[in-house]
Amino acid sequence: MRIKTLLLLLWSTCNVLTAIGQIKFNHIGTQQGLSQSTAFNIFQDSRGFLWFATSDGLNKYDGYRFTVYRHEFDKPNSISSSNISCITEDFEGNLWIGTINGGVNKLEVKTGKFIRYDSDKYHANIGNRSISGIIATRDHKIWAATYGYGLLTFVPSPQIYIDFCFYACIVTGKQIGRASCRERVCLYV
């Protein structure tokens, strides 16, 4: 009986070691097209693309090549800032991007265009904020953690208006570094 147990254990160990030997990592960096060697956030969307937040743009990696999205001053459908801090995806597959001093942007998957959520057009004081974390919830709210302005939430509506809330009672004058939601429980740090 002991011999069978020992053989089974040895066979299991060999299978695990064989599987570990098959794991392969590829280094991707600026030589492969990443706009900058430092990524502040890496996000994999529901379609399998990898998105990298850098201070030189939003980088999309399809497994073969990079596409870099940068702020273009003369193009209103470009991202509001090239200094990207965080990325999330809503339940419709659109990406929400937090920036440093550029607020929140939405990348519409269907059109490939960015929507800048700025103060002038959307009646919200989020356009020039530095965003440190962002999540999309099932009730279609976007929650943004900011540097120095607390936790912000808004609901984009068809009338192009944002319901803007500042949660001073949660984080009076404090920085929120990360936001995470699973099921119905949200944690803000």
Side-chain angles (χ1 to χ4, degrees):
M1 186 69 175
R2 285 185 181 182
I3 294 175
K4 287 183 181 181
T5 305
L6 182 60
L7 288 175
L8 182 62
L9 182 61
L10 183 61
W11 180 77
S12 300
T13 304
C14 289
N15 284 338
V16 169
L17 291 176
T18 302
I20 290 173
Q22 294 174 353
I23 296 173
K24 183 180 175 187
F25 289 94
N26 289 327
H27 176 79
I28 52 176
T30 55
Q31 292 178 339
Q32 290 75 29
L34 187 63
S35 67
Q36 190 183 50
S37 60
T38 302
F40 301 109
N41 188 271
I42 302 171
F43 181 80
Q44 185 173 16
D45 68 18
S46 60
R47 294 170 308 283
F49 296 116
L50 289 176
W51 297 84
F52 296 81
T54 75
S55 61
D56 188 31
L58 177 65
N59 293 247
K60 175 185 173 184
Y61 185 63
D62 65 6
Y64 300 100
R65 64 186 138 304
F66 282 95
T67 303
V68 181
Y69 301 91
R70 292 184 179 97
H71 171 69
E72 297 178 57
F73 183 75
D74 57 340
K75 294 187 179 176
N77 290 327
S78 72
I79 197 161
S80 65
S81 170
S82 292
N83 198 352
I84 313 300
S85 56
C86 50
I87 309 158
T88 196
E89 184 176 26
D90 65 21
F91 291 96
E92 296 173 354
N94 298 305
L95 291 183
W96 291 84
I97 298 101
T99 66
I100 302 299
N101 296 324
V104 173
N105 295 259
K106 176 183 175 182
L107 176 56
E108 289 187 325
V109 175
K110 293 177 185 175
T111 65
K113 295 181 180 179
F114 287 92
I115 297 174
R116 301 176 186 177
Y117 285 84
D118 56 25
S119 302
D120 299 334
K121 188 174 181 180
Y122 293 96
H123 312 289
N125 193 13
I126 197 169
N128 60 349
R129 302 287 184 231
S130 292
I131 309 299
S132 59
I134 192 165
I135 58 171
T137 58
R138 292 179 192 262
D139 59 354
H140 302 285
K141 288 183 181 176
I142 303 301
W143 293 81
T146 68
Y147 293 107
Y149 290 94
L151 181 62
L152 310 174
T153 184
F154 57 94
V155 181
S157 71
Q159 293 80 24
I160 308 177
Y161 177 79
I162 291 178
D163 176 22
F164 175 78
C165 300
F166 177 69
Y167 286 85
C169 60
I170 297 175
V171 286
T172 307
K174 302 290 182 184
Q175 171 182 320
I176 297 178
R178 293 286 177 252
S180 179
C181 254
R182 296 286 184 261
E183 299 300 320
R184 295 178 178 247
V185 179
C186 294
L187 173 67
Y188 306 96
V189 182

